[in-house]
Amino acid sequence: MRIISGKFKGRRLQVPANITARPTTDFAKEGLFNFLNNFIDFEEITVLDLFAGTGSISLEFISRGSKKVVAVENSKTQTNFILQTIKTLDINNLTLLNTNVFQFLKTCKMSFDLIFADPPYDHNDFAQIPDSVLNTNILNPEGIFILEHSAHYDFSAHSHFKSHRKYGNVNFSIFE
């Protein structure tokens, strides 16, 4: 896993073999962040990373100077890896929560400028994730919600859908 840009640009992190997450590919991550560069001042935003997996997306936002990132991951194996990475890189503005994403969404009192979700593609409630996020008050009024998904999903009919980006086999639906 590689950090594409920012303070930790080019830094490679060895993901343990027992991690069950599917990290966003470098190609897709680079494409997404190039797209976001046109709309976001990374140093001015707070970010929520749902289904954080290896922490790759959280680390990319941190590396680019985001004010605060909250990462939510249910797997203890993945959270242990992210905690180790936070310590190795001496990061102090990344909060990691080892909890169920849907429970977190029901109780979260914070709000964010950007929310990113990369759930397992075979998650039983995948199609409901946009509403689970957008029907709360956790996305700031001018905020952006990005959902990573496979080609099997099409969210273009959703009332908050803004655009779609595809990088290789990775799809991102962007909501406002």
Side-chain angles (χ1 to χ4, degrees):
M1 180 175 88
R2 179 174 63 98
I3 299 174
I4 306 295
S5 188
K7 178 168 63 171
F8 302 117
K9 180 181 179 177
R11 187 75 180 254
R12 293 194 176 276
L13 302 165
Q14 189 60 41
V15 179
N18 63 342
I19 294 277
T20 57
R22 168 202 31 78
T24 303
T25 65
D26 285 354
F27 175 68
K29 194 166 44 170
E30 188 168 10
L32 175 65
F33 278 87
N34 285 341
F35 167 74
L36 290 175
N37 269 329
N38 297 311
F39 304 102
I40 292 174
D41 180 356
F42 290 102
E43 295 176 0
E44 296 297 318
I45 64 167
T46 56
V47 178
L48 174 62
D49 183 4
L50 301 173
F51 305 95
T54 61
S56 173
I57 297 296
S58 293
L59 294 169
E60 200 66 48
F61 278 108
I62 291 292
S63 183
R64 292 166 189 255
S66 294
K67 287 192 296 192
K68 179 180 177 106
V69 176
V70 174
V72 180
E73 174 55 51
N74 198 39
S75 165
K76 193 65 175 161
T77 303
Q78 273 90 278
T79 56
N80 285 339
F81 174 71
I82 297 169
L83 284 171
Q84 176 188 354
T85 304
I86 290 170
K87 185 176 180 181
T88 299
L89 298 176
D90 193 29
I91 296 170
N92 60 12
N93 57 337
L94 172 55
T95 302
L96 177 62
L97 303 173
N98 180 220
T99 190
N100 177 283
V101 165
F102 296 100
Q103 288 302 114
F104 172 80
L105 290 172
K106 289 177 186 174
T107 61
C108 181
K109 303 291 186 228
M110 299 174 275
S111 62
F112 302 89
D113 302 306
L114 188 143
I115 300 173
F116 181 87
D118 181 11
Y121 287 177
D122 62 352
H123 195 287
N124 290 338
D125 296 319
F126 199 104
Q128 285 74 43
I129 291 172
D131 287 335
S132 294
V133 171
L134 297 168
N135 289 339
T136 66
N137 290 321
I138 64 171
L139 184 62
N140 287 333
E142 300 296 316
I144 298 171
F145 169 53
I146 302 167
L147 177 64
E148 181 175 332
H149 58 88
S150 70
H152 294 110
Y153 293 96
D154 178 3
F155 294 98
S156 60
H158 193 282
S159 62
H160 294 283
F161 179 82
K162 169 95 168 129
S163 66
H164 175 261
R165 295 284 182 264
K166 181 178 176 166
Y167 304 100
N169 292 326
V170 178
N171 292 264
F172 297 105
S173 285
I174 295 127
F175 304 83
E176 291 185 338

